[in-house]
Amino acid sequence: MVHRPGTSLHLLADLAATRHLADPQAIAAVLTAAAQAARAQLVGLHVHPFGEGQGVTGVAMLAESHISIHTWPETGQAAVDLFVCGEDADAEAGLAVLVEAFGATVTWRQRVARLREASVQPL
Amino acid sequence: MVHRPGTSLHLLADLAATRHLADPQAIAAVLTAAAQAARAQLVGLHVHPFGEGQGVTGVAMLAESHISIHTWPETGQAAVDLFVCGEDADAEAGLAVLVEAFGATVTWRQRVARLREASVQPL
């Protein structure tokens, strides 16, 4: 894994979205594009549709961690998270791809530094 | 999807762990047990080992959202998140299973309410 503790960012966002929320093929393509934009290496892509016209759960497994999405077409919502490690990864660029692709606005977001313990060097 | 907006909890935790961090079979079993403890329905289970003795990325896709884990055997760390929806789901019970199975202590944790917009009812 190319993870480096101390460089881990977990970006969480809730979206109000206007398209693709019930479309597993589109969601797979968007996750792939988001991983690329985040400069992350895709090691697995899994999309689970809950039925015709219903929500979708999708996960892009990355060498740098993961991107996940859960959608609720009935309320026009999606919850995403982008967990990346390494100075080169760009979670914000990945989120921008998701926002654009879903015709979305971000209703809430939070940047969370993960694995902070490892970034503390003993004196 | 059995998600109900307004009941979504995203529980994030970093662990200092003592076992199983490089064992994809054990991690698959632990994720399954954590989903069960969280009273969540597993709809997909994906585990990616990064090589002999190296870290593992695992994702349990749930009807209620997901559980993910990323491990760093070299530093004895794991980063987990448990995203569940619905009054019946119990993310804390899922986390307890992860902590016990990995012989871990929680070095950091955060409970994040997701999709809060939908919980606001118009007057």
Side-chain angles (χ1 to χ4, degrees):
Chain A
M1 198 151 24
V2 300
H3 289 182
R4 288 185 44 206
T7 65
S8 298
L9 171 66
H10 203 167
L11 175 58
L12 317 178
D14 295 341
L15 310 181
T18 60
R19 54 179 177 257
H20 299 324
L21 295 182
D23 183 340
Q25 283 76 27
I27 288 172
V30 172
L31 285 173
T32 302
Q36 187 171 20
R39 294 198 287 272
Q41 180 192 344
L42 200 63
V43 298
L45 179 63
H46 307 286
V47 175
H48 180 87
F50 286 87
E52 183 69 26
Q54 296 186 46
V56 174
T57 281
V59 178
M61 299 172 76
L62 309 175
E64 295 79 6
S65 287
H66 75 260
I67 301 173
S68 84
I69 182 166
H70 308 286
T71 72
W72 292 264
E74 63 273 26
T75 56
Q77 291 178 298
V80 303
D81 72 333
L82 304 96
F83 188 166
V84 295
C85 301
E87 289 89 349
D88 291 340
D90 187 348
E92 297 285 354
L95 178 58
V97 165
L98 296 173
V99 168
E100 166 67 22
F102 290 104
T105 56
V106 177
T107 58
W108 172 87
R109 52 171 284 156
Q110 184 177 353
R111 290 169 60 97
V112 182
R114 298 296 304 265
L115 300 161
R116 283 172 285 194
E117 295 296 311
S119 66
V120 178
Q121 300 297 321
L123 295 174
Chain B
M1 194 148 31
V2 300
H3 288 183
R4 288 186 44 207
T7 65
S8 299
L9 172 66
H10 203 167
L11 175 57
L12 316 178
D14 294 342
L15 309 180
T18 60
R19 56 179 176 258
H20 299 323
L21 294 182
D23 183 340
Q25 284 75 26
I27 288 172
V30 172
L31 286 173
T32 302
Q36 187 171 24
R39 294 198 288 272
Q41 181 192 343
L42 200 62
V43 298
L45 180 63
H46 307 285
V47 175
H48 180 87
F50 286 87
E52 183 70 25
Q54 297 187 45
V56 173
T57 280
V59 178
M61 298 171 77
L62 309 175
E64 296 79 5
S65 289
H66 74 259
I67 302 172
S68 83
I69 183 166
H70 307 287
T71 72
W72 292 263
E74 63 274 27
T75 57
Q77 289 178 299
V80 303
D81 72 332
L82 304 97
F83 187 166
V84 295
C85 301
E87 288 88 349
D88 290 341
D90 187 347
E92 297 285 354
L95 178 58
V97 165
L98 297 173
V99 168
E100 166 67 22
F102 291 103
T105 55
V106 177
T107 59
W108 171 86
R109 52 169 285 157
Q110 184 178 352
R111 290 169 61 96
V112 182
R114 299 294 304 267
L115 300 162
R116 282 172 286 195
E117 295 296 311
S119 67
V120 178
Q121 299 299 319
L123 295 176

